[in-house]
């Protein structure tokens, strides 16, 4: 084996808590990356993946510091290196693609200025050459409008595109090592597939060495040469991809892989009854105020009908920006629709949260998509969970404390976390605190907006088990928003497919695997990565046109520009509803045409 | 105390010192505040008069010991009232809607009324007393606190955890006090420290107008002001009250800056 | 780049400001009515016998009802003629114009000196937060504002004008014939004023820059290999412009009306003293007009700050 | 110091800083109120007479003033006098100037004096006849009061003032500054100064610093506490012993002053010696609770000097049943140094068993809102030219400014008698008795007669004290010169 490009030995990273206590995040980690290989760091959320990845740049997040061990990249020792050395190295020898590209782009600079900045700082290229190279990278990363995208500001570009732009920024200096930190976690499958494809091609073509952080084994299978399995800041197992995925040795690795295997669908409980619990009829909603005729300036949801019965799980899927979260916010009363009615138990439910009774509010709870911002950074975890207990159920402080501990345990979090502030949790931990808070209200309906997106398979499975159990025991109903089709298949009774703010299809879980489907549903199902190296190269979905930035069209089918089966009518007229016993599909083509051969 | 860090501890000591002076100062003052004890004026530091004498030949140490409580308490209470009202209304306004429009306009108007006119009208309408002085100071400085709190809270109000609280059915007071406030305490505390300084200074101006602290008593700022004639001789009577103000306000700000929870900043 | 949102927003702000101005004029007029005494009493002073007062009041048309006087004045302001001073008989606008120029000069020069300096200090303190340097700046800014401004100004005069004789003790714009004169004449008042206004700007700049430095994009910039200076200037600062502009606007708004001490000590004929004189003599047309001008200045600054904040934020700039 | 780039005019340019100036600054002689007004008007205008160092009238624009009965007066005007615009002085100007004081719209400060005029008419080309409502031997002195200065017939606007005085105004910006230049056609012959620049620096220290730094040559109203600082630095002081005073006012027409024991006690609480040294640093003369200063020819030394005696005051207060009472006392910076006096009275009161509660009120509005309206307060009076004026304005039962509300029939009779009396010895004894009455009974405590302090650079020559006021009775411009200019 050649000399490693990067190695970490006996790395120890600690953080200082708010009260001055020292918290060990990474006790003792050792690993190395050979030139030209892609090493994946996998492990549960909070296991120190991001922390270790960042240490390869000689960097520790605020509040943390590198307390011991050796770090060497491209022959340079980073532990204890002076600021100049590190500055020369970062962005030049080692480049970083952040977990959330949206947050890592400076909102007030143009994309081009930020992408070429590393090249300019390190003097590898002059401005003109750098811009040329950036455009070439944009093209290689399959970004739409590669010549013009640079002039835009970050908020004018979709999340998936930003992730690729961030990769372009990392690659512009031809670094020896690129670190990808969960670059596709927040993306829907159709976008994810594109990003993955782009990364893989780039890494291969440029011969770059990469460290790829993720908790998604299917993604790992596509991209990694070797895998390091992390837990509690320690490397549990390190080996080639095939070995870890198909012959894991360590117990934890085995659990991880087992959890990633397709789940048996949950059995619908007896409690499901036919009375609808929540109904939305003809909902129209949008942002940016209303026009004179009362329609929203930017229409995000258009004519949505949804109904959820008691104890039923409705999965909602669709690509990023299609309006899934908006739908949940409408149901929660946070975003009054401009048209349409909401019913709870058949009785009208006010579209405005302020006009709803406390009991109505309790019965419909929402788990917010961004765990980060949905928790008050100044309120301790315990207090956050205790608030609904006091608010809806009038629990006193003492009984609330016991209940908080129980809830934390339900979502597989240690009771000690109750004393922490949200800033001291990892992404997945925050997500589960959010869930626990919603459960504390003892609702009838839970609006779950991407509750497992940041969780590793083991914990995600535990959380899903919990949800299914609650449904069985208490008859809890869910609107389950996700981009993970695997999960939708496993947990929902019905699936609602949204495209650009309109319903493309509603189908039962059992109907999902066969029969007639909207072309978009088909694209989605084909895009779910499989736990099988080489899938990425074979899947037909990889050539399905640019994802992201889908716009609702005033007339006609919004999917028409991307649709392989589009006919003239698609552009001009609203698609009709095709009804089969277990599905409703909104499409101009006939059921026969939509049924795969 | 341990969590404060060295500068915070210095601040705490200074503030505690002035608090002690404010509390027991009048009891330990060696002479009466209005008593002329020295036939010469602007006397220097001496055994009999450790801080010299003032423009009428009164003992500076006694005047400082007795006067400190006005600056410490009046300024503090006035700032606290201004901050409390300004912050609460500012937070409420951050929720938007007609409350915001109403409050913002109202405070713009208050800002626009010249404080001299305002003070004169207050004196004419209510007469002079310490509560009126405190009220006047508070009214003059509330709009500033309001604007600061509002702009800080606007950012927080847009965040998801506020939406979460709304979805739970929380009322505006709870949202404002329990969800938003804890997230802006740092900058608000810093603002409080600065506002306290301004109030200390304005206090001396208003008591000079006749709006509260009456002779022979004088707050620290007024002590500087009334002895300014001694500046030409480098009189101790100007120097010490000025140093007193600076040490009090600096101490206060050091303490505020190092309060727990703000250290990370 | 699409301009309309900016234009409409600015237009809305201006509309709101006009309404505010109307209420301010009402409030100022109302407060003025509440003040004890009137201009006749002020003119006659000790010699104000009842019949002398009545005679003078009638001669000045003060016996008209309040609303008539308000309409008279407000109507005049609307057409750009706020009437004549009751004391001097000169047109109010003429009396204000000369002094407003002076005040704006002084305020402008002070802004020119204090804003860049405050930004510099605030930024450096933010970058070096928690260090001795940061603490020193914080103590110094608080220490300087906490010294009463009349003391600072007088000390400065005693040092630079009386003892060293480098600078004049008085600031008279009439004596300015060259750039050098300008520097000499304004050095001391600008210094005194800068001490007073800088604290707030320094503190806000520091806080805003720290906020911006704590973001993921600042972290990302560091991970690109940006130098600390570049992280601050190129990445943090543009995002901190909003709050900083607001603090600058608030600080500067005190420069017109709140500088009475400096105007007195340097014998500088500005609007602040005009205002105090006018209040003392109950010259209401003058008082009201100056108050409105202060208010306009305030609204102008605050609105400018808002617009700057919008311009600095592409999210608001391009919808 | 700061040297203006502009070349100095021949005779030099005198820069003078006074303490008070505002937009209320006026060049209307009838309205002049503050020092800047007096100085400017003294430069630009002349009166019919002017007062010498003993307050005796000497002829100015009037060549002679004659009367037989102190009631019907004939004034002969000086010939060849020209206004600054070149026009000659006429009787019409004089008649207009005197009559306008009776118009309430003018807001004249001298209206009380003008009200004696029964008629003012032209009497030939160079004579003006003034008939009084009742005899007053002091008319020539009264005409020397600055407000009676002569303006041109019909003048209503005073922004570009025209007078006959030694200087003509070339810039007049109220509240900012005034600049006057020598008038070469002055009837007494041109003065030595080339130009005077006059403005106010309200802040005491700033004014002194401006002198110290050489930015001005002459400053008015020095805080006595800073005098030492100036002389130490080589500057000269001009002390003017005046008959102006800051007085304690006890309203005798209401509680607690309606009890004579309270009034007597209050006067005994005035620690004149400490006031003189601590507040005025020795620049004051001990007063004796009556308005006639020792420099006045009618001063009566037989009035016994009242001592500082808190013990006796306590005795009086006990008799008044006021021991332990809390008595408010109103002060304001409008009545010069009344704050400090109140503090000393308060301190003495503690020994005499009374707790004084000092209420400091704003200086603007003081004269209309507080003065003479509060039971216990302060007044402040500039020097008056005659004993008659002092008594008439402040102590007669029907006086507009009867500060303490004191009514004494005998005093009123004596006043009228003395006014018409032409026998000097008799007049003096009448005024003497009046001084006794005021000292004993009026509710006014006059602790000190104040000196006025001005300071100037050694270059300024020719200044001497005039009792009418500081800055040579405001008339410095006609007399001083700059050394080496
Ligand atoms: N400032 C801090 N103070 C205390 N603990 C911290 C701090 N920052 C991070 N941690 C802890 O360090 C651990 C590792 O965090 P890290 O972000 O590296 O996890 P991760 O593996 O990337 O998780 P995820 O998949 O959720 O992003 C977590 O348990 C987290 O709670
Ligand atoms: N507050 C807002 N103001 C304006 N536009 C908004 C706002 N919130 C969301 N949008 C826009 O509305 C559209 C739908 O947003 P929504 O959050 O419902 O998408 P989503 O389906 O939940 O996507 P994701 O999978 O990325 O969470 C997006 O185009 C988004 O840019
Ligand atoms: Mg992570
Ligand atoms: Mg969403």
């Amino acid at each position: 084996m050649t000399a490693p490009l990067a190695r970490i030995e006996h790395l120890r990273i600690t953080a200082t808590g708010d009260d001055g206590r020292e918290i060990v995040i990474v006790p003792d980690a050792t690993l190395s990356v050979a030139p030209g290989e892609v090493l994946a760091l996998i492990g549960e959320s909070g296991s120190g993946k991001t922390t270790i990845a960042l240490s390869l740049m000689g960097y520790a997040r605020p509040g943390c510091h590198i307390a011991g061990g050796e770090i060497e990249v491209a022959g340079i020792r980073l532990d204890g290196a002076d600021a100049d050395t590190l500055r020369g190295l970062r962005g030049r020898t080692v480049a970083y693609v952040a977990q959330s590209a949206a947050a890592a782009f400076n909102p007030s600079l143009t994309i081009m200025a930020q992408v070429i900045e590393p090249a300019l700082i390190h003097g590898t290229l002059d401005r003109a050459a750098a811009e040329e190279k950036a455009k070439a990278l944009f093209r290689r990363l399959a970004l739409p409008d590669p010549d013009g995208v640079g002039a835009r500001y970050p908020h004018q570009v979709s999340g998936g595109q930003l992730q690729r732009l961030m990769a372009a920024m990392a690659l512009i200096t031809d670094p020896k090592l690129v670190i990808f930190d969960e670059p596709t976690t927040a993306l829907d499958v159709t976008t994810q597939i594109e990003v993955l494809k782009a990364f893989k091609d780039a890494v291969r073509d440029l011969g770059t060495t990469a460290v790829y952080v993720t908790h998604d084994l299917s993604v790992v299978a596509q991209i990694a040469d070797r895998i390091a399995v992390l837990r509690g800041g320690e490397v549990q197992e390190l080996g080639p991809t095939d070995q870890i995925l198909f012959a894991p040795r360590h117990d934890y690795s085995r659990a991880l892989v087992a959890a990633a295997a397709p789940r048996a669908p949950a059995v619908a409980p007896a409690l499901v009854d036919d009375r609808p619990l929540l109904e939305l009829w003809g909902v129209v909603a949008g942002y940016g105020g209303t026009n004179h005729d009362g329609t929203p300036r930017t229409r995000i949801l258009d004519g949505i009908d949804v109904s959820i019965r008691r104890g039923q799980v409705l999965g909602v899927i669709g690509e990023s920006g299609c309006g899934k979260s908006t739908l949940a916010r409408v149901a929660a009363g946070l975003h009054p629709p401009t048209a349409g009615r909401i019913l709870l138990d058949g009785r009208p439910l006010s579209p405005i949260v302020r006009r709803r009774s406390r009991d109505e509010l309790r019965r419909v709870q929402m788990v917010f998509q961004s765990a980060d911002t949905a928790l008050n950074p100044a309120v301790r975890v315990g207090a956050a969970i205790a608030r609904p207990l006091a608010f809806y159920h009038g629990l006193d402080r003492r009984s609330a404390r016991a209940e908080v501990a129980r809830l934390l345990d339900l979502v597989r979090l240690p009771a000690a976390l109750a004393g922490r502030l949200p800033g001291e949790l990892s992404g997945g931990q925050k997500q589960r605190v959010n869930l626990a808070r919603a459960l504390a209200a003892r609702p009838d309906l839970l609006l779950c907006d991407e509750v497992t997106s940041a969780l590793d398979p083991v914990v995600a499975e535990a959380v899903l088990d919990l949800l299914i159990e609650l449904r069985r025991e208490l008859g809890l109903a869910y609107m389950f928003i996700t981009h993970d089709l695997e999960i939708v298949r496993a947990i929902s009774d019905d699936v609602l497919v949204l495209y650009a703010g309109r319903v493309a299809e509603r189908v039962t879980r059992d109907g999902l695997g066969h029969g007639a489907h909207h072309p978009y549903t088909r694209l989605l199902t084909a895009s779910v990565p499989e736990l099988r190296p080489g899938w990425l190269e074979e899947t037909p979905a990889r050539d399905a046109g640019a994802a992201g930035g889908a716009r609702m069209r005033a007339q006609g089918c919004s999917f028409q520009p991307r649709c392989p089966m589009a006919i003239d009518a698609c552009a001009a007229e609203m698609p009709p509803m095709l009804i089969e016993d277990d599905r409703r599909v909104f499409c101009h083509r006939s059921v026969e045409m939509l049924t795969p051969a | 105390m341990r969590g404060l860090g060295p500068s915070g501890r210095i601040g705490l000591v200074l503030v505690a010192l002035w608090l002690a002076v404010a509390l027991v100062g009048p009891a330990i003052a060696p002479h009466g505040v209005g008593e002329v004890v020295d036939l010469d004026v602007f006397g220097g530091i001496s055994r009999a008069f450790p801080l010299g004498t003032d423009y009428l030949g009164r003992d500076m140490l006694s005047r400082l010991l007795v006067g400190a409580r006005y600056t410490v308490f009046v300024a503090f209470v006035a700032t606290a009232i201004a901050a409390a009202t300004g912050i609460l209304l500012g937070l409420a306004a951050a929720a938007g809607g007609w409350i915001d429009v109403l409050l913002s306009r109202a405070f713009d108007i208050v800002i626009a009324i010249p404080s001299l006119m305002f003070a004169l009208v207050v004196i004419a309408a209510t007469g002079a007393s310490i509560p009126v002085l405190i009220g006047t100071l508070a009214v003059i400085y509330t709009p500033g606190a309001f604007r600061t709190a509002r702009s800080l809270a606007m950012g927080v109000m847009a965040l998801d955890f506020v939406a979460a609280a709304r979805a739970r059915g929380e009322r505006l007071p709870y949202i404002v006090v329990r969800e938003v406030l804890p997230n802006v305490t740092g900058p608000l505390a810093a603002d409080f420290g600065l506002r306290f300084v301004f109030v200390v200074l304005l206090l001396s101006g208003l008591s000079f107008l006749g709006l509260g602290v009456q002779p022979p008593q004088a707050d620290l700022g007024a002590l500087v002001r009334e002895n300014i004639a001694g500046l030409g001789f480098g009189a101790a009577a100007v120097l010490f009250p000025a140093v007193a103000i600076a040490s009090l306000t600096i101490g206060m700000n050091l303490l505020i800056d190092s309060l727990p929870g703000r250290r990370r900043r | 780049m699409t301009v309309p949102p900016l234009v409409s927003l600015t237009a809305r702000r201006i509309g709101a400001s006009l309404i505010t101005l109307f209420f301010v004029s009402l409030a100022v007029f109302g407060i003025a009515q509440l003040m004890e005494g009137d201009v006749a009493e002020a003119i006659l002073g000790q010699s104000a016998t009842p019949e002398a007062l009545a005679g003078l009041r009638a001669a000045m048309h003060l016996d008209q009802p309040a609303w008539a006087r308000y309409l008279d004045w407000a109507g005049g302001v609307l057409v750009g003629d706020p009437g004549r001073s009751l004391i001097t008989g000169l047109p109010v606008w003429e009396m204000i114009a000369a002094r407003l120029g002076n005040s704006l000069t002084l305020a402008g020069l002070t802004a020119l000196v204090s804003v860049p300096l405050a930004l510099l200090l605030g930024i450096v303190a933010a970058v070096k937060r928690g260090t001795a340097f940061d603490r020193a700046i914080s103590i110094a800014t608080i220490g300087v504002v906490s010294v009463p401004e009349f003391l600072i100004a007088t000390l400065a005069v005693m040092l630079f004008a009386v003892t060293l004789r480098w600078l004049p003790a008085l600031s008279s714009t009439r004596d300015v014939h060259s750039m050098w004169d300008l520097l000499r004449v304004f050095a001391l008042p600008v210094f005194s004023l800068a001490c007073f206004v800088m604290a707030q700007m320094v503190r806000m700049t520091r806080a805003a820059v720290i906020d911006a430095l704590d973001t993921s994009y600042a972290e990302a910039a560091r991970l690109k290999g940006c130098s600390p200076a570049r992280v601050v200037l190129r990445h943090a600062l543009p995002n901190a412009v909003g709050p900083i502009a607001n603090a600058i606007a608030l600080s500067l708004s005190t420069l017109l009306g709140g500088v009475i001490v400096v105007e007195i000590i340097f014998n500088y004929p500005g609007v602040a003293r005009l205002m105090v004189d006018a209040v003392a003599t109950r010259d209401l047309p003058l008082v009201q007009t100056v108050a409105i001008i202060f208010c306009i200045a305030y609204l102008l600054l605050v609105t400018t700050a808002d617009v700057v904040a919008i311009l600095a934020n592409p999210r608001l700039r391009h919808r | 110091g700061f040297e203006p780039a502009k070349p100095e005019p021949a005779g030099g340019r005198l820069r003078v800083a006074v303490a008070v100036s505002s937009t209320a600054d006026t060049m209307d002689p009838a309205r002049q109120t503050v020092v800047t007004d007096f100085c400017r008007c003294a430069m630009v205008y002349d009166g019919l007479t002017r007062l010498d160092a003993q307050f005796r009238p000497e002829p100015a624009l009037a060549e002679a003033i004659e009367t037989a009965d102190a009631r019907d007066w004939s004034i002969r005007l000086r010939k060849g006098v020209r206004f600054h615009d070149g026009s000659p002085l006429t009787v019409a100007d004089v008649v207009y100037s005197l009559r306008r004081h009776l118009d309430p719209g003018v807001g004249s400060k001298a209206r009380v004096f003008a009200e004696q005029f029964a008629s003012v008419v032209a009497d030939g080309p160079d004579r003006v006849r003034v008939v009084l409502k009742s005899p007053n031997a002091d008319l020539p002195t009264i005409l020397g009061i600055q407000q009676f200065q002569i303006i041109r017939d019909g003048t209503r606007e005073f922004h570009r003032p025209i007078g006959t005085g030694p200087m003509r105004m070339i810039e007049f910006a109220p509240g900012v500054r005034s600049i006057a230049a020598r008038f070469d056609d002055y009837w007494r012959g041109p003065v030595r100064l080339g130009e005077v620049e006059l403005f106010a620096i309200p802040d005491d220290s700033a004014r002194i610093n401006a002198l110290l730094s050489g930015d001005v040559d002459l400053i008015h109203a020095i805080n006595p506490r800073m005098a030492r600082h100036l002389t130490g630095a080589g500057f000269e002081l001009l002390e003017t012993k005046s008959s102006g005073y800051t007085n304690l006012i006890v309203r005798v027409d209401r509680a607690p002053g309606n009890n004579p024991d309270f009034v007597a006690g209050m006067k005994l609480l005035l620690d004149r010696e400490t006031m003189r040294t601590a507040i005025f640093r020795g620049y004051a003369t001990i007063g004796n609770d009556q308005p006639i200063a020792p420099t006045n020819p009618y001063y009566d030394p037989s009035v016994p000097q009242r001592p500082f005696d808190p013990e006796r005051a306590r005795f009086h207060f006990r008799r008044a049943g006021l021991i332990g009472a809390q008595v408010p006392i109103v002060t304001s910076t409008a009545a010069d140094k009344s704050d400090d006096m109140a503090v000393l009275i308060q301190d003495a009161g503690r020994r005499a068993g009374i707790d004084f509660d000092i209420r400091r009120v704003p200086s603007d509005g003081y004269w209309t809102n507080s003065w003479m309206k509060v039971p216990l307060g302060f007044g402040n009076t500039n020097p008056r030219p005659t004993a008659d004026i002092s008594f008439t304005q402040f102590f007669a039962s029907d006086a507009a400014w009867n500060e303490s509300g004191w009514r004494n029939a005998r005093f009123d009779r004596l006043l009228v008698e003395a006014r018409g009396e032409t026998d000097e010895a008799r007049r003096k004894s009448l005024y003497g008795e009046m001084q006794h009455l005021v000292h004993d009974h009026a509710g006014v405590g006059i602790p000190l007669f104040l000196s006025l302090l001005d300071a100037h650079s050694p270059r300024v020559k020719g200044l001497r004290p005039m009792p009418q006021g500081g800055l040579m009775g405001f008339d410095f411009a006609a007399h001083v010169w700059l050394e080496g200019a």
Side-chain angles (χ1 to χ4, degrees), chain A residues 16-18 329 332 334 353-354 356 361 364-365 368 370 373-379 384 387-388 391-392 424 437, chain B residues 2 156 159-171 174-175 178-184 260-261 263-264:
Chain A
T16 316
D18 224 22
R329 292 169 65 89
L334 286 174
V353 75
R354 247 181 304 127
R356 295 188 181 177
L361 290 166
V364 181
Q365 287 289 309
F368 284 73
S370 68
T373 53
L375 287 177
N376 190 332
V379 176
R387 176 62 191 171
F391 187 75
Y392 294 123
E424 297 159 355
R437 180 171 64 176
Chain B
R2 255 185 46 244
V156 178
L159 297 181
D160 275 353
F161 62 82
V162 175
R166 279 217 199 97
R168 207 185 304 139
E170 303 283 7
R171 304 275 147 216
Y174 177 90
I175 291 181
R178 303 295 292 274
E179 300 282 351
V180 178
L181 189 56
N183 287 291
V184 291
R263 226 167 358 114
R264 292 256 201 89

Side-chain angles (χ1 to χ4, degrees), chain A residues 298-476:
Chain A
T298 25
R299 196 181 277 246
I300 299 298
L301 293 178
D302 191 31
I304 304 277
D305 301 335
V306 174
S307 103
I308 304 176
R309 281 168 287 136
R310 272 169 196 287
Q312 191 192 23
V313 181
L314 175 71
V316 178
I317 56 177
E319 77 179 17
S320 176
C322 71
K324 304 183 294 291
S325 300
T326 307
L327 180 64
R329 292 169 65 89
V330 166
L334 286 174
H335 190 81
T338 55
R341 292 188 307 140
I342 309 175
L343 306 177
L344 185 67
D345 269 344
R347 281 189 298 278
L349 184 64
S350 168
I352 301 167
V353 75
R354 247 181 304 127
R355 305 234 179 92
R356 295 188 181 177
S357 75
R358 189 171 286 202
D359 197 53
E360 285 168 348
L361 290 166
R362 178 192 63 75
R363 295 179 58 192
V364 181
Q365 287 289 309
M366 172 151 171
V367 185
F368 284 73
Q369 175 172 16
S370 68
D372 256 327
T373 53
L375 287 177
N376 190 332
V379 176
R380 295 193 185 275
V381 167
I385 300 177
R387 176 62 191 171
L389 294 172
F391 187 75
Y392 294 123
H393 304 292
L395 253 62
D396 64 27
R397 197 177 283 245
R398 190 123 59 87
S399 29
R401 194 169 320 141
E403 181 67 9
V404 167
R406 194 184 70 84
L407 285 163
L408 282 175
D409 190 49
L410 272 184
V411 295
R412 305 291 184 273
L413 286 174
L417 231 61
R420 288 222 206 150
L421 288 171
E424 297 159 355
L425 305 179
S426 82
Q429 288 166 338
K430 282 184 229 175
Q431 209 162 40
R432 280 173 282 164
V433 171
N434 266 314
L435 178 60
R437 180 171 64 176
L439 290 176
R442 297 179 206 147
D444 292 343
L445 172 68
L446 207 53
L447 308 166
C448 297
D449 196 353
E450 310 276 17
V451 285
T452 55
S453 64
L455 302 180
D456 60 286
V458 176
V459 178
E461 182 165 67
V463 168
L464 292 177
D465 284 343
L466 166 73
L467 296 180
I468 291 165
E469 191 179 307
L470 290 172
R471 168 192 181 189
R472 195 174 53 236
E473 285 174 8
L474 307 172
L476 204 55

Side-chain angles (χ1 to χ4, degrees), chain D residues 283-393:
Chain D
Y283 294 108
T285 316
I286 299 287
N288 197 15
D289 303 332
Q290 57 82 14
I292 309 302
T295 46
N296 191 298
Y298 298 117
Y299 174 73
D300 183 355
S302 77
V303 184
Q305 175 62 47
R306 183 170 281 123
F308 169 57
D309 193 344
E311 289 314 310
R312 262 206 23 237
R314 189 183 187 88
F315 162 79
H316 284 291
F317 291 145
R318 181 169 299 121
R319 281 228 313 229
L322 285 168
I323 293 291
Q326 207 192 33
V327 180
I329 181 164
V330 175
T331 73
S332 166
T333 43
D336 188 33
K337 301 280 190 292
S338 62
D339 295 14
D340 298 339
M341 288 186 178
V343 167
L344 294 184
I345 291 173
Q346 184 185 48
D347 198 32
R350 216 162 283 132
R351 288 199 263 163
I354 284 210
D355 179 9
F356 290 104
D357 175 16
I358 300 180
R359 302 255 170 91
R360 176 153 52 187
V361 301
S363 62
D364 53 301
Y366 177 77
W367 299 115
T368 33
N369 302 327
S370 304
W371 181 56
M372 303 208 321
K373 296 202 169 111
V374 296
L376 203 55
F378 287 89
N380 177 241
T381 302
N382 293 330
R384 302 285 150 170
T386 66
D388 177 61
I389 292 176
S390 273
F391 284 138
T392 310
Q393 288 189 329

